[in-house]
Amino acid sequence: MDKAYEFVKGKKTTTIVVAVIDAGIDTLHEDLKDVLWVNPKEIPGNGIDDDKNGYVDDVHGWNFIGGKDGRYVKEDSYEGIRVYYQFKDKYEGKTVDVAKFDQGQKDEYEMWLKAKEKVVGDATGGVDTKMLQKVLEMSVKNDSILKKAIGKDVYSGNDLDTFAAVAPDAARAKAGFLYLLKANNMMESTNKEFIDGLTEYVTSEERKKDGATNPPKPYRADIVKDNEMDINDKYYGNADVMSGNPFHGTHVAGIIAAKRNNGLGMDGVADNVKIMAIRAVPDGDEHDKDIALAIRYAVDNGARVVNMSFGKSFSPEKKWVDDAVKYAESKGVLLVHAAGNDAANVDSVDNFPNPYLRASGARATNWITVGASSDPSAESFKSYTASFSNYGKGTVDVFAPGTKIYSTIPGGNTYGNAQGTSMASPVVAGLAAFILSYYPDLTPQQVKMVIEQSATKLPEQVKKPGSDDMVSLSDLCSSGGVVNGYEAIKLASTLKPEGKKMPKSSLKKGKKD
């Protein structure tokens, strides 16, 4: 990116709005507060819908999982569990003649069967939640001992590694905690980040186990109070985009746009952008209605790029999301989505949302799916691909850095590492915004082409995530490359706006989209 900025030095830029659909953003963070989108037609805090868009006091964005009374949804159930119970009475134990179903009924029944298999499988096999709970309890105990022994409440794995434990209980605590940090490649993370992440993981696995015997709690319905089955009932939620647990969204926003060259923390990828905060992702699975309306909100309020670092295995109302994707396409808005972290081939394994439009079978042209690359020089990573990253030659477009990414985190103007395709996606969203800020007349399709064709092709084979198989990166994503900001901006500089002839040099590499 430093070379990319040098390439465009002195050129005029246009401010680009990037919407972050996520779990919320710390709007008070020192490195983000100056880059937040501000609704120019809304007067803060007056309780009036000044711009008459249906959303009161939406100064920095909107919270689609909040209530009009100020409450908010923090955790929610998983979509597979919701689908299983939604159709359980209709299909469980009933004689079903699939031959008499129309296509819609067939799709519904097949989705229910997959949900049933998933819910029952989570309950009878997979993770041992009792053992997980013991690991969490021991980690919390060890952390308490270590905080006293080290003399500070927050320490990294590297700090712990160099700490000379004298007391026997501190030595045992160090050994136990250090083992878990190393096993999870989290040596640069803090004790708080590890405990918080483990707590969230244990809670999610326990909810999955519970789903086989108990219907999902109406987390969202009790707070949001809309008609969830009516996409036209859309004026719900509240303006609190910080509520819940904003760690994930804050980290994502920083990668895209943390203020550059201000001497604080870290620099985001893009330098002339505004972040629109849209809260629609709980601890659990998001709802299709919220995502569809979040995309539409972003488009209607001027976003040129939308980052979506979330995903799930079921999408019962995919048609609503598909319609929103087509709407964004018609308005020239680029959608960037994280491929997911299951080391799975998403050409054959469901991961929603995705660019494939169910009604027509066509693929949206304004969509980029991003896998996570890693640093092969780091001791913990022996491949250019992150071990957890989803992949797919037909579905994943490009890879981008997604391991040990340092960015903004909420509370006290702090910073820390996180990893996942959730971190790789905003690298690409930031790069897209950077390109558009210098060449604002380019279409989403041109920006997508630029990012893919300029990606660095690797001379050596990489590990296929989830295995030890060595393959070409072109077997894992359509571009066969890792994003390259410098090459992308050089290629972008050669293009003309849509409708004008594109130079032949820009069409030599890569596939036709």
Side-chain angles (χ1 to χ4, degrees):
M1 288 309 302
D2 288 342
K3 287 179 66 177
Y5 278 104
E6 189 64 29
F7 180 80
V8 293
K9 188 175 182 179
K11 292 183 180 293
K12 180 182 177 182
T13 65
T14 299
T15 302
I16 301 299
V17 177
V18 181
V20 174
I21 302 175
D22 215 291
I25 294 175
D26 180 359
T27 58
L28 302 178
H29 198 287
E30 62 181 5
D31 232 357
L32 295 176
K33 61 185 180 181
D34 291 340
V35 297
L36 293 174
W37 172 75
V38 177
N39 187 342
K41 299 178 182 178
E42 198 72 30
I43 300 173
N46 68 351
I48 299 172
D49 181 17
D50 300 292
D51 59 1
K52 296 180 173 54
N53 69 349
Y55 303 101
V56 177
D57 287 336
D58 57 326
V59 176
H60 296 306
W62 193 250
N63 176 13
F64 281 97
I65 49 175
K68 293 188 181 299
D69 59 2
R71 292 186 298 156
Y72 58 86
V73 178
K74 183 180 185 296
E75 64 178 14
D76 207 333
S77 53
Y78 292 95
E79 193 69 85
I81 297 173
R82 298 196 291 258
V83 168
Y84 173 60
Y85 281 97
Q86 182 181 353
F87 300 109
K88 184 179 180 183
D89 290 343
K90 185 174 181 179
Y91 296 120
E92 187 77 87
K94 306 291 176 62
T95 301
V96 176
D97 188 353
V98 179
K100 294 182 179 180
F101 285 172
D102 62 25
Q103 191 58 51
Q105 290 173 308
K106 287 180 182 178
D107 291 343
E108 178 185 280
Y109 181 62
E110 289 174 1
M111 179 177 63
W112 179 77
L113 288 177
K114 286 182 181 180
K116 178 182 178 180
E117 182 181 2
K118 174 67 175 170
V119 171
V120 173
D122 283 340
T124 58
V127 176
D128 184 343
T129 53
K130 290 183 179 180
M131 180 61 71
L132 266 182
Q133 187 61 47
K134 290 180 180 178
V135 171
L136 176 59
E137 291 172 359
M138 183 57 68
S139 297
V140 171
K141 180 180 178 180
N142 287 342
D143 182 45
S144 178
I145 293 171
L146 290 168
K147 284 191 285 191
K148 292 179 181 178
I150 296 173
K152 55 183 180 180
D153 289 335
V154 180
Y155 56 88
S156 70
N158 292 326
D159 293 337
L160 181 59
D161 200 20
T162 58
F163 168 64
V166 178
D169 64 336
R172 287 193 294 271
K174 173 184 174 180
F177 208 83
L178 202 56
Y179 171 80
L180 292 174
L181 289 172
K182 287 182 177 179
N184 289 279
N185 294 318
M186 294 184 69
M187 289 297 290
E188 294 186 18
S189 300
T190 67
N191 56 322
K192 184 179 185 305
E193 290 165 5
F194 177 76
I195 294 293
D196 287 349
L198 182 57
T199 301
E200 183 179 335
Y201 178 61
V202 172
T203 300
S204 71
E205 291 302 320
E206 288 177 336
R207 289 210 302 268
K208 291 176 184 177
K209 294 280 187 183
D210 184 65
T213 53
N214 296 301
K217 296 178 182 178
Y219 298 100
R220 184 186 177 287
D222 286 349
I223 293 173
V224 179
K225 298 185 184 303
D226 66 320
N227 180 355
E228 192 179 339
M229 302 311 297
D230 182 4
I231 189 64
N232 294 310
D233 179 13
K234 56 187 177 181
Y235 300 116
Y236 58 88
N238 62 45
D240 183 5
V241 296
M242 275 185 66
S243 56
N245 179 7
F247 176 94
H248 193 273
T250 301
H251 202 272
V252 165
I255 294 169
I256 297 169
K259 194 168 181 60
R260 295 181 64 86
N261 303 316
N262 63 353
L264 299 174
M266 42 77 68
D267 290 341
V269 173
D271 69 336
N272 189 9
V273 300
K274 295 295 181 182
I275 294 293
M276 180 188 295
I278 306 179
R279 188 170 183 269
V281 183
D283 294 341
D285 279 345
E286 60 279 359
H287 291 251
D288 290 337
K289 179 182 177 181
D290 299 331
I291 298 306
L293 293 178
I295 292 172
R296 288 179 177 274
Y297 178 92
V299 174
D300 288 341
N301 287 279
R304 294 286 307 275
V305 180
V306 179
N307 186 80
M308 303 184 293
S309 290
F310 53 82
K312 57 183 180 177
S313 300
F314 297 88
S315 183
E317 302 298 341
K318 190 179 191 302
K319 61 182 179 295
W320 293 344
V321 180
D322 286 352
D323 286 345
V325 171
K326 289 189 291 184
Y327 181 65
E329 188 176 37
S330 73
K331 298 294 185 179
V333 177
L334 180 69
L335 306 176
V336 185
H337 183 237
N341 305 322
D342 300 313
N345 184 347
V346 289
D347 285 349
S348 55
V349 175
D350 287 334
N351 183 53
F352 302 103
N354 62 42
Y356 302 106
L357 306 176
R358 184 169 287 172
S360 65
R363 176 173 175 148
T365 63
N366 61 326
W367 184 291
I368 301 178
T369 301
V370 186
S373 62
S374 70
D375 177 6
S377 66
E379 184 177 350
S380 301
F381 304 103
K382 300 301 183 183
S383 171
Y384 279 101
T385 54
S387 61
F388 52 78
S389 180
N390 284 352
Y391 58 92
K393 186 172 184 176
T395 302
V396 176
D397 297 299
V398 72
F399 274 64
T403 55
K404 297 196 296 184
I405 305 299
Y406 189 70
S407 185
T408 48
I409 57 177
N413 297 321
T414 51
Y415 304 80
N417 287 303
Q419 62 185 33
T421 58
S422 284
M423 284 63 249
S425 180
V427 171
V428 176
L431 177 56
F434 167 72
I435 293 167
L436 285 169
S437 68
Y438 287 92
Y439 303 100
D441 293 329
L442 296 182
T443 66
Q445 293 76 16
Q446 287 177 305
V447 174
K448 172 181 166 70
M449 181 275 292
V450 162
I451 289 172
E452 291 181 0
Q453 292 196 9
S454 64
T456 299
K457 310 302 187 287
L458 302 181
E460 56 194 88
Q461 291 192 315
V462 301
K463 273 190 180 181
K464 182 168 77 173
S467 77
D468 290 325
D469 295 343
M470 301 302 292
V471 299
S472 168
L473 191 58
S474 62
D475 292 327
L476 305 180
C477 69
S478 62
S479 70
V482 178
V483 291
N484 187 320
Y486 174 58
E487 294 297 333
I489 199 68
K490 284 203 303 179
L491 178 55
S493 71
T494 69
L495 303 187
K496 295 182 182 298
E498 190 177 67
K500 298 180 180 179
K501 189 174 181 180
M502 194 180 298
K504 291 182 180 179
S505 61
S506 69
L507 297 172
K508 287 181 180 179
K509 296 180 181 180
K511 67 170 189 174
K512 182 178 180 182
D513 189 17

